[in-house]
Amino acid sequence: MVTSSPPRPVRPRGRLRLLLASGAAALALAAGSVVPGSPVGPAAQEARAAGSGTSTLTVAVAQSVDSLSPFLAQRLVSTSVSRLMYDFLTNYDAKDNHTVPGLATKWESSPDKLTWTYTIRSDSKWSDGQRATAEDAAWTFNTMMTDEGAATSNGSFVGNFEKVTAPAPDKLVIELKQPQATMTALDVPIVPKHVWEKVSDFSKFNNDKDFPIVGNGPFILTDYKVDSYVKLKANKDFWRGAPKFDEIVFRYYKDQDAAVAALRKGEVSFVAGSPSLTPAQAASLQGADNIKVNDAPGRRFYALAVNPGAQTKDGKKFGDGDPALRDRKVRQALFMAVDREAVVDKVFQGHAVEGEGYIPPRFDSYFWKPSAEQKFAYDPAKAGALLDEAGYRKNGAGKRTGKDGKPLDFRILCHATDPNDKAIGKYLQEWWGDLGIGLKVDCMDNVSDPWFAGEYDLAFDGWSVNPDPDFVMSIHTCAALPAKAKETAATDNFICDKQYDELYAKQLAEYDPAKRADLVKRMESRLYDLGYMNVMAYPNAVEAYRTDQIASITTMPSDAGNIYGQDGYWSWWSAAPATGAPGGSSGGGGSSTGVLVGVGVAVVVLAGGGLLFAMRRRSTAEDRE
């Protein structure tokens, strides 16, 4: 879905990019006052609710909601909330990401793989009492197929759909134009037709006014305040079983030091960071009473994205990106002038792995790395030689200028709330300055507007990658470009390359796991060679929670995985109140991370042979999923 992002997402699905983990430049922990702009005394009010017998899990997040409409949401916090509100046809097992039933209990394909039939469960109902049926799923998909606004976040999943019908309440039939290897991983929230068919403009409806919001997921949205909080209550009738906490609150903190201080004081139960804790914050919490730090390989990448020239699907140019970046040699020179080892050591302080290909090593089937000959290793001398070849030589003042005499000066979009952006921005100014290139680091609260308008040269970018990479690969296709200038679209950085598109189409139709993985790796290689995306690091998921409030919680994968931003709802659905905590159970306590709650798995029928990968949609511009 959407998950992280144009610039991390804000659009990051329309995307709003995920605010990436903070780096070494983070300020010392502030004394923990409530962050400006937040409601006064929310933690105390939530504690009182807990004291009355209601258990509340409060999650401090660094990202504000872009939209609560699953058709528009692209930021990680927003897509995470959508996963709690609405069921999907299928889900991913928390232990190893394999496909498990969701709203659909089983599925089968025709021998030619062009027709897929899903059996819809009979025990799922909307929170207003109506049964959730195949008609709701058919309406959801058909709306995305016919309405551009509804296709904003997840339109790539239905682009190959020919027809979707619901011949019976428990039967959904999807007919395809050509085989599609993502049919057991359609990362699309299914919404209630009887509620959403009243919406007149899907591009503007944010689903944030009429509470409680009708849904069929493990939690029901009950309240929301912009840039402050999202509140959900447990769905006691959820078919998989009711969550153990009665309520979950996502509380927004612009200042992550204040969020960490709130965790120390017990005002929040969990801190995700932006989206991870900085090394300094994590170190300050290690060994603290009743606090557990989870530091595990993440599913995100942290990158430097280039604007190759903003354009619409019909080729109309817009924006003011520097034309020098349309030269591959210039892009590759910038690539070679970034010391990724220093980024990992000095900014992430070891809480990350050096970046290489587009897919993080956590997903080993798709992880790709360049050969020694192909790799753009840190080499300022070679970078300078490439710039010379491209016609940008140093003048007497040491500045690179083109044939027109114009100096090579770039702007880079930086997220004001992300210490990593700021720290790495300073290194880039130094590294590129030595090459004779000027760099202005534009740190702002809202990077989405200039991103969608194409008014930038480079940007700090990042996405949460799903078990199946289709979505994050799709955002670089020509089909992802906006229909109109300066509008939200699925594209990440206006990339449009025919060879890449051909590989994308082949991988989408390939059911053989090994052959499909090879095609995805070839796409990564192509993206790398073009120099549009410089993946600098794969940050760890560094987060923390209070063990006197949360007794146990599921990580994904269960063996060394993340809690926040999962490909599913396992963490919040499984989280159990600690013994003795307000509203907590009297059962056994504990503080283990990664306690896996059992998930029932129904039999899956795949007609015609061929193993399908569970795949999920992206993460998203302020922060993409």
Side-chain angles (χ1 to χ4, degrees):
M1 223 175 53
V2 192
T3 111
S4 197
S5 64
R8 282 186 264 82
V10 163
R11 114 178 159 316
R13 256 192 220 63
R15 59 185 95 217
L16 299 176
R17 308 173 176 270
L18 285 184
L19 300 178
L20 296 176
S22 302
L27 301 175
L29 291 178
S33 58
V34 175
V35 76
S38 295
V40 177
Q45 295 171 6
E46 289 158 14
R48 283 197 293 273
S52 65
T54 299
S55 57
T56 300
L57 193 164
T58 305
V59 179
V61 296
Q63 190 180 46
S64 59
V65 170
D66 55 324
S67 177
L68 289 171
S69 164
F71 294 116
L72 301 177
Q74 296 194 49
R75 293 181 179 174
L76 183 59
V77 64
S78 308
T79 56
S80 295
V81 170
S82 289
R83 283 191 170 277
L84 299 180
M85 296 169 61
Y86 304 105
D87 214 351
F88 293 33
L89 288 182
T90 60
N91 212 321
Y92 308 95
D93 184 83
K95 182 177 182 179
D96 59 9
N97 293 325
H98 75 269
T99 304
V100 296
L103 185 60
T105 59
K106 63 180 181 179
W107 43 90
E108 60 183 0
S109 72
S110 59
D112 61 5
K113 300 293 193 301
L114 294 178
T115 301
W116 286 78
T117 302
Y118 301 81
T119 298
I120 304 301
R121 63 177 58 256
S122 60
D123 57 348
S124 176
K125 63 180 181 180
W126 300 109
S127 52
D128 62 3
Q130 292 197 36
R131 177 186 169 188
T133 70
E135 183 61 30
D136 294 304
W139 184 88
T140 298
F141 290 127
N142 278 309
T143 301
M144 292 168 60
M145 293 164 62
T146 56
D147 188 288
E148 188 174 295
T152 299
S153 291
N154 297 303
S156 63
F157 286 115
V158 301
N160 183 44
F161 286 14
E162 181 68 40
K163 183 179 181 182
V164 183
T165 57
D170 65 345
K171 182 177 291 187
L172 175 72
V173 180
I174 300 178
E175 298 176 37
L176 304 173
K177 299 173 184 176
Q178 63 179 17
Q180 181 170 324
T182 63
M183 296 306 290
T184 61
L186 297 173
D187 200 11
V188 177
I190 303 302
V191 302
K193 174 185 176 182
H194 65 283
V195 174
W196 283 81
E197 64 184 353
K198 301 172 186 176
V199 175
S200 58
D201 188 342
F202 290 97
S203 68
K204 297 179 180 179
F205 181 70
N206 283 314
N207 197 30
D208 58 359
K209 295 294 187 292
D210 189 14
F211 300 105
I213 304 297
V214 177
N216 67 336
F219 288 88
I220 299 166
L221 181 62
T222 58
D223 196 10
Y224 166 64
K225 184 174 181 180
V226 176
D227 290 342
S228 183
Y229 63 81
V230 179
K231 292 185 178 181
L232 304 100
K233 70 176 182 179
N235 180 1
K236 302 299 184 182
D237 296 321
F238 184 50
W239 63 268
R240 200 185 290 277
K244 296 175 177 60
F245 272 92
D246 298 311
E247 182 181 53
I248 183 169
V249 178
F250 292 93
R251 188 163 298 286
Y252 172 65
Y253 284 82
K254 183 176 181 179
D255 181 346
Q256 286 307 286
D257 286 337
V260 171
L263 181 75
R264 284 182 171 278
K265 293 189 291 185
E267 293 177 347
V268 299
S269 314
F270 178 96
V271 172
S274 53
S276 294
L277 298 176
T278 66
Q281 290 166 344
S284 74
L285 293 173
Q286 289 286 0
D289 291 343
N290 300 315
I291 291 178
K292 181 176 179 64
V293 175
N294 181 49
D295 186 347
R299 67 184 186 101
R300 293 186 55 75
F301 64 77
Y302 184 90
L304 189 62
V306 173
N307 176 5
Q311 61 178 315
T312 59
K313 289 182 179 178
D314 61 4
K316 180 181 179 181
K317 308 294 183 181
F318 64 96
D320 61 1
D322 195 309
L325 292 171
R326 296 173 193 171
D327 188 324
R328 189 193 296 195
K329 289 183 178 179
V330 173
R331 299 194 299 267
Q332 292 177 341
L334 295 181
F335 215 136
M336 298 175 72
V338 173
D339 188 345
R340 288 178 285 284
E341 183 177 339
V343 168
V344 171
D345 293 342
K346 296 181 180 180
V347 178
F348 290 100
Q349 295 184 23
H351 296 274
V353 176
E354 184 177 336
E356 294 181 291
Y358 194 67
I359 307 297
R362 172 163 153 180
F363 305 106
D364 56 354
S365 295
Y366 298 105
F367 177 61
W368 170 88
K369 58 194 311 181
S371 64
E373 296 74 23
Q374 183 182 14
K375 185 173 182 178
F376 295 128
Y378 179 56
D379 192 331
K382 287 186 178 180
L386 273 178
L387 290 172
D388 287 341
E389 290 178 22
Y392 296 93
R393 297 179 177 275
K394 284 186 177 181
N395 60 18
K399 286 285 295 180
R400 295 275 174 181
T401 59
K403 295 178 180 179
D404 57 1
K406 180 182 176 181
L408 211 53
D409 289 315
F410 298 129
R411 304 156 297 167
I412 184 168
L413 283 176
C414 158
H415 299 79
T417 56
D418 193 338
N420 290 336
D421 286 7
K422 296 175 182 178
I424 295 173
K426 292 181 179 179
Y427 279 114
L428 293 177
Q429 287 177 321
E430 176 185 339
W431 295 330
W432 293 356
D434 290 341
L435 285 177
I437 298 173
L439 180 64
K440 179 183 179 182
V441 181
D442 291 326
C443 292
M444 53 187 73
D445 291 330
N446 175 19
V447 298
S448 297
D449 289 347
W451 198 306
F452 289 126
E455 296 171 352
Y456 69 100
D457 300 323
L458 303 108
F460 289 109
D461 196 0
W463 285 85
S464 290
V465 177
N466 309 311
D468 185 291
D470 180 80
F471 180 77
V472 291
M473 306 309 291
S474 75
I475 59 179
H476 299 305
T477 61
C478 301
L481 294 173
K484 297 180 180 179
K486 301 185 179 183
E487 286 194 350
T488 293
T491 189
D492 190 26
N493 288 289
F494 308 102
I495 296 171
C496 180
D497 176 70
K498 182 179 180 181
Q499 184 175 330
Y500 182 91
D501 274 21
E502 291 173 350
L503 289 169
Y504 175 77
K506 290 179 180 178
Q507 70 80 30
L508 184 62
E510 181 56 68
Y511 282 85
D512 181 273
K515 291 180 180 178
R516 182 162 183 248
D518 179 66
L519 288 166
V520 169
K521 290 177 180 178
R522 288 170 61 188
M523 293 172 68
E524 294 183 75
S525 177
R526 178 65 177 171
L527 199 59
Y528 184 91
D529 287 345
L530 291 172
Y532 291 132
M533 295 291 293
N534 180 353
V535 177
M536 295 181 285
Y538 308 115
N540 285 4
V542 187
E543 49 204 358
Y545 66 91
R546 293 198 63 92
T547 57
D548 56 352
Q549 295 185 25
I550 302 174
S552 62
I553 192 166
T554 300
T555 62
M556 185 177 187
S558 55
D559 182 14
N562 56 294
I563 295 172
Y564 180 71
Q566 295 181 356
D567 293 295
Y569 42 67
W570 308 118
S571 55
W572 313 128
W573 173 73
S574 71
T579 301
S585 65
S586 59
S591 61
S592 60
T593 289
V595 175
L596 181 61
V597 175
V599 178
V601 181
V603 175
V604 177
V605 180
L606 295 178
L611 175 65
L612 295 182
F613 283 177
M615 78 178 240
R616 183 183 115 75
R617 236 289 284 234
R618 85 172 157 204
S619 46
T620 180
E622 216 75 295
D623 183 31
R624 296 187 168 119
E625 194 180 336

